[in-house]
Amino acid sequence: MPDEPRHELAWLGFSAAFVASVAFLLLIPAGWSRLDHLWAEDGARFMVDAVRSPVLTNLVDPYGGYLHAFPRLVAQVVALLPFEWTAAGFAIGAAVLRALIALITFAASKAYLRSTPMRFALAALVIVLPAGNSETLNNVTNLHWFLLYGVFWALLWRNAPRVPVALFVVLSALTSPLVFILAPIALVRLFQPRREVPIAFLAALVVQGVTMVFADRTPYSHDEVDPVQVLLASLLRVPVVAFTGSERVSDLYPAQGNLVIIAALLVAAVPIAAGLRFGDRAGRTLALVASAYSVVLIVACLVLNWSQVLQVQAPEAVMAGQRYSIAPCLFLFTAIFVGLDATPAKTWERAVVAGSRYLVGILVVVSVFAHLRVPRTVLDGIPWDESLARARAECSAGAAEARLEHEPQGWFFIVPCESVR
């Protein structure tokens, strides 16, 4: 009898956290602006394809050299709604999926982090992470940076509900090629109980891989890679951005130079070192793997997509391509939290780690309040209702097709007038 109330209370807590996360993402100033502003490929690729193409054709059509299952599924659902709801539909869909990833993080980390507040803070950072909000907030175009982190925890979740988690990892693998780096974890999981999730994940990876072999991909840039710039950009975009946010770096780095990099590295290194010393075997492995993924991801993203605008001396430092910071920062925080959770109570190191815990707590609180301000991340371009009104005016004037403009500036897509009437 005592277990049932706890079970019901847990589900109540999960439900409340889910609703609060979605509400936070949608109601902060930047999130509220997304309810009436469509972003990039959400409109110019996924929505237009959902309107113009049959469902099955749309779902298996690669874009940019790979499949996009989650964005295309969201677009298909949004296409069923009145056209006025398009921007809001994409924003809500993205917020719901991001909140789901936060819940997966909290549930799966129970086997690795003893402290419930630590697990809560780690999951909360999926929602309030101070990085990348100009590009990644409430759109499915950049959802794959969060999906990668969600799949990481889904594969580590020892007692995960099989069917829903298997479905999540399959759709994620069919959405982003980034998840290929998680294949080693899935292979290790094949030799442990409950193999359904890694088997489903690896099968989906095969499908994505075959698609990528035969699909075309246009490179972002042909600029020559500068190793020194990649190193500096990596350090700014992960440890520094993780603790300050993308927007603050453009103010701090020109004024303080490499001092901010050294300070961020020290703040991250102390708890990670504590995790490697005091953690159990699973904790040490998790700290090492998460740290390695953080480094490999940011370097690979910068090298594969390098252009002059990514240089550290470029205007606003890390604001261009800030989406590259998302998953590496989350992996870095995972390694940090292992150390914060593992340090014994009676050691001198505890004072240092306790200070780091307070710092992380302050970071979460500051991130929340930073999101509540009216920052540069608020979209102020053409609202969706205004764009739709212009398109309908074109159709009323006799046009057969309508042009719908949306964010960022210069983006648009064209659909038959029958779709917007």
Side-chain angles (χ1 to χ4, degrees):
M1 290 296 293
D3 289 337
E4 192 62 28
R6 286 200 297 269
H7 181 74
E8 292 179 353
L9 188 61
W11 277 107
L12 180 62
F14 276 116
S15 300
F18 177 80
V19 171
S21 297
V22 173
F24 177 84
L25 290 170
L26 294 176
L27 297 180
I28 57 176
W32 185 259
S33 71
R34 264 74 175 173
L35 292 172
D36 196 30
H37 289 81
L38 198 59
W39 181 262
E41 283 92 346
D42 282 16
R45 176 51 54 193
F46 304 128
M47 187 60 186
V48 68
D49 286 350
V51 171
R52 288 183 172 272
S53 305
V55 176
L56 292 179
T57 301
N58 185 28
L59 291 177
V60 299
D61 184 27
Y63 168 67
Y66 57 94
L67 297 172
H68 296 259
F70 263 130
R72 292 197 181 277
L73 282 172
V74 172
Q76 291 297 153
V77 174
V78 172
L80 300 175
L81 304 174
F83 225 72
E84 292 85 350
W85 299 359
T86 298
F90 275 101
I92 293 170
V96 165
L97 289 170
R98 187 166 166 182
L100 176 63
I101 293 166
L103 290 185
I104 290 174
T105 301
F106 180 80
S109 60
K110 183 177 182 180
Y112 303 90
L113 300 178
R114 299 167 300 180
S115 168
T116 299
M118 285 287 104
R119 293 167 53 212
F120 178 83
L122 184 60
L125 283 170
V126 175
I127 304 300
V128 304
L129 186 73
N133 288 302
S134 293
E135 292 181 339
T136 63
L137 182 63
N138 295 357
N139 64 73
V140 297
T141 295
N142 290 303
L143 185 65
H144 53 279
W145 303 99
F146 294 99
L147 289 174
L148 171 62
Y149 189 65
V151 173
F152 172 77
W153 278 113
L155 291 173
L156 293 178
W157 196 352
R158 296 175 182 175
N159 60 341
R162 291 179 175 87
V163 174
V165 174
L167 181 62
F168 172 77
V169 299
V170 165
L171 291 175
S172 298
L174 297 177
T175 296
S176 171
L178 292 172
V179 297
F180 273 93
I181 69 169
L182 301 178
I185 296 177
L187 291 172
V188 172
R189 280 293 314 278
L190 289 178
F191 298 95
Q192 299 177 354
R194 303 172 70 92
R195 295 189 292 269
E196 294 85 355
V197 170
I199 289 173
F201 173 73
L202 291 170
L205 278 189
V206 172
V207 175
Q208 182 73 275
V210 172
T211 301
M212 293 174 65
V213 169
F214 294 101
D216 296 325
R217 180 183 184 273
T218 302
Y220 282 106
S221 170
H222 295 284
D223 293 346
E224 184 178 354
V225 177
D226 183 337
V228 175
Q229 284 288 330
V230 168
L231 174 62
L232 289 174
S234 298
L235 292 171
L236 278 180
R237 289 172 180 271
V238 182
V240 177
V241 164
F243 294 114
T244 67
S246 301
E247 288 74 24
R248 291 292 308 281
V249 172
S250 59
D251 299 324
L252 290 173
Y253 184 67
Q256 305 298 329
N258 292 333
L259 286 177
V260 295
I261 295 177
I262 296 172
L265 284 173
L266 288 174
V267 172
V270 170
I272 292 175
L276 295 176
R277 176 177 179 181
F278 298 115
D280 56 16
R281 181 179 179 182
R284 290 195 299 271
T285 302
L286 178 58
L288 285 172
V289 170
S291 299
Y293 276 145
S294 181
V295 174
V296 170
L297 262 176
I298 188 60
V299 172
C301 287
L302 291 176
V303 169
L304 293 174
N305 301 287
W306 185 256
S307 66
Q308 297 300 315
V309 298
L310 299 177
Q311 294 185 5
V312 296
Q313 69 267 27
E316 297 192 311
V318 301
M319 290 299 288
Q322 59 180 259
R323 59 190 178 275
Y324 302 142
S325 297
I326 298 295
C329 283
L330 290 172
F331 282 120
L332 176 66
F333 276 122
T334 301
I336 289 173
F337 276 52
V338 170
L340 297 180
D341 183 73
T343 306
K346 295 182 179 180
T347 62
W348 65 267
E349 292 93 340
R350 188 67 176 182
V352 178
V353 175
S356 300
R357 287 191 177 188
Y358 284 114
L359 182 62
V360 169
I362 292 171
L363 170 68
V364 173
V365 174
V366 169
S367 295
V368 170
F369 281 99
H371 281 82
L372 293 175
R373 296 166 54 197
V374 181
R376 287 178 284 179
T377 55
V378 174
L379 299 181
D380 56 5
I382 181 170
W384 178 248
D385 54 358
E386 181 180 334
S387 179
L388 184 57
R390 293 181 186 179
R392 286 173 171 167
E394 292 178 21
C395 294
S396 299
E401 295 183 319
R403 172 185 168 118
L404 289 148
E405 299 178 0
H406 59 87
E407 295 273 14
Q409 185 177 3
W411 284 68
F412 67 92
F413 64 100
I414 297 173
V415 295
C417 280
E418 292 80 8
S419 303
V420 301
R421 288 190 175 121

